[in-house]
Amino acid sequence: MDARAILDKLVSFKTVSNVSNLDLIDWVEDYLKGHGVIATRVYNEEGNKASLYANVGPDVAGGVVLSGHTDVVPVEGQAWDTDPFTVVEKDGKLFGRGTCDMKGFDALALAAVPLALERGVKRPLQIALSYDEEVGCLGAPPMIAEMRKHLPAASAVVVGEPSMMKAVSGHKGGYGWWIHVHGFEVHSSLLHTGVNAIMYGVKLIEWANQINDANIAATPSPIAAQFDPPFTTAHTGKIWGGTAHNITAKDCEFGIDFRLVPGDDIATYRDALFARVAEVEAAMQAVVPETRIEVTERFHVPPLQPENDGEAERLVRQLTGDNATHVVSYGTEAGQFQEKDYSAIICGPGDIAQAHQPNEFLEVSQFEAGQAFMAKLVDHLAE
Ligand SMILES: [Zn+2]
C-alpha cells in the first residue's frame, strides 16, 4: 500500500473529535501487524478513543518519533463541493477532511514503516498517533507518558502539522479556563440586595482587556518578537448568562483563554487571574455570602520553546534544507513532547490556511515533498 492509498483509507474514517476513532485505530493496528510491528494503544477514560504508538526497527535509543493526530474537525455547516470523507484529486490537489490537518502526514508516516523495515534501519522509527488534538491536545499527554516508560528514548520528535514542510521550531501555548459566576436573583429594582452574575463576570473580562493593553504596550522579549502578535493574549470568545432584563442574573458563564508566548510563565497569569477572581468573589459575598465563582481548567497546551541547537531542528534542517527560522501562533502536541524532555519540531505537508476549511485540500506537490522527506529520514536512520 503506498502513501496515497493509506491516505484514502484514513480519510474514509469519520474521526471527528466528538466520536470514536477506534475504527481507524483498528485499521492502523492491522496494517502495522501486517508488517510485523506490534502497536500499543492508550485508551481514554471512556474507552471509546485510543492513541497508538509503535517502535519500528531495533529496540535501541536514538530513533525519531513521527507524531500525528487522528481526529479531524467537523464538516457540519460547511459548503463542500465533494464528499469530505472521500479523497478527490483535482487540479493537483487532494480534497478531503483531514488531508491537510493531518491525515496526510499520518499516511506518510505509516507508509514509511515498510521502507524502514526493508532498509534495515539501525535506529528506530517511532509512530505516535493521538486523539482529541482538535479539542485541546487532550490525547497526547497520556500517550507520551507511556512512550517514555516503554519505548527506547528517541532523539527527535517530528510533529507533522501543516508547515509547508518547513522546520517550525516554536509555537505559542494555549491555556483555557471556564468561569461560572454564581450570583443571586432579585428583582432588578432591588439590585443592591442581589448579586448580578453578569455584572460581576464582566469585571473579570475587563481584567483580560487590561492584560492585553499592558502586553501590547510592553517591549517584547527576543523570542516573543518572532511571533505575530509578539505578546501573550487573553481572550473571551463565548459568554452566556441571565434570564430577563429585570432580574439580576443568577448565572453567568464564559471562557478566558490565554495564548502564551514561549518564555512567559503561565503561573504568573494564572495567579493573577485567581487573585482577581478572589477579589470579585469577596465583593459578591459581601452582598450575599452564598454566592461564588467557580473556575475550571478547560485545556492546557504548553508552548514549543525554540531549542538551543536542538536535535530535532538539526535533523529537519538537514532533511529539508530549510535553514530559516519559523514560529507559528497555533498550538500543537510538539510542546507536550518537549515538556516531557523530547527534542521536538513541527514539519508537515500542507498549509495551515487550508486546515479546518470547507474543501480542505493538500497539494499533491506537498504530499510528494513529504514522501521525499520520509525517504531521506529512513536513509538517515539506516546510516
Ligand atoms: Zn492538526
Side-chain angles (χ1 to χ4, degrees), residues 258-275:
F258 293 88
R259 287 187 185 272
L260 194 81
V261 288
D264 272 12
D265 187 1
I266 190 59
T268 311
Y269 289 100
R270 188 190 53 219
D271 292 352
L273 170 65
F274 279 65

Side-chain angles (χ1 to χ4, degrees), residues 291-346:
T291 58
R292 65 199 168 90
I293 302 176
E294 194 184 337
V295 183
T296 323
E297 186 179 289
R298 280 199 309 127
F299 61 88
H300 156 197
V301 183
L304 177 66
Q305 180 97 34
E307 296 168 11
N308 256 333
D309 199 27
E311 180 62 28
E313 183 170 340
R314 192 160 52 229
L315 172 70
V316 169
R317 289 193 185 293
Q318 186 192 326
L319 299 182
T320 60
D322 173 28
N323 286 312
T325 301
H326 310 277
V327 298
V328 293
S329 284
Y330 57 85
T332 78
E333 295 169 342
Q336 296 175 320
F337 275 99
Q338 190 180 57
E339 196 178 43
K340 288 285 175 274
D341 300 323
Y342 282 94
S343 173
I345 193 147
I346 302 165

Side-chain angles (χ1 to χ4, degrees), residues 91-129:
D91 306 328
K93 294 169 180 165
L94 301 164
F95 291 89
R97 172 55 87 223
T99 49
C100 174
D101 185 12
M102 60 180 287
K103 289 176 171 176
F105 181 84
D106 298 344
L108 293 169
L110 292 171
V113 169
L115 289 183
L117 294 171
E118 282 156 26
R119 193 79 166 70
V121 287
K122 295 201 178 75
R123 287 166 293 138
L125 200 63
Q126 295 180 353
I127 303 291
L129 298 177

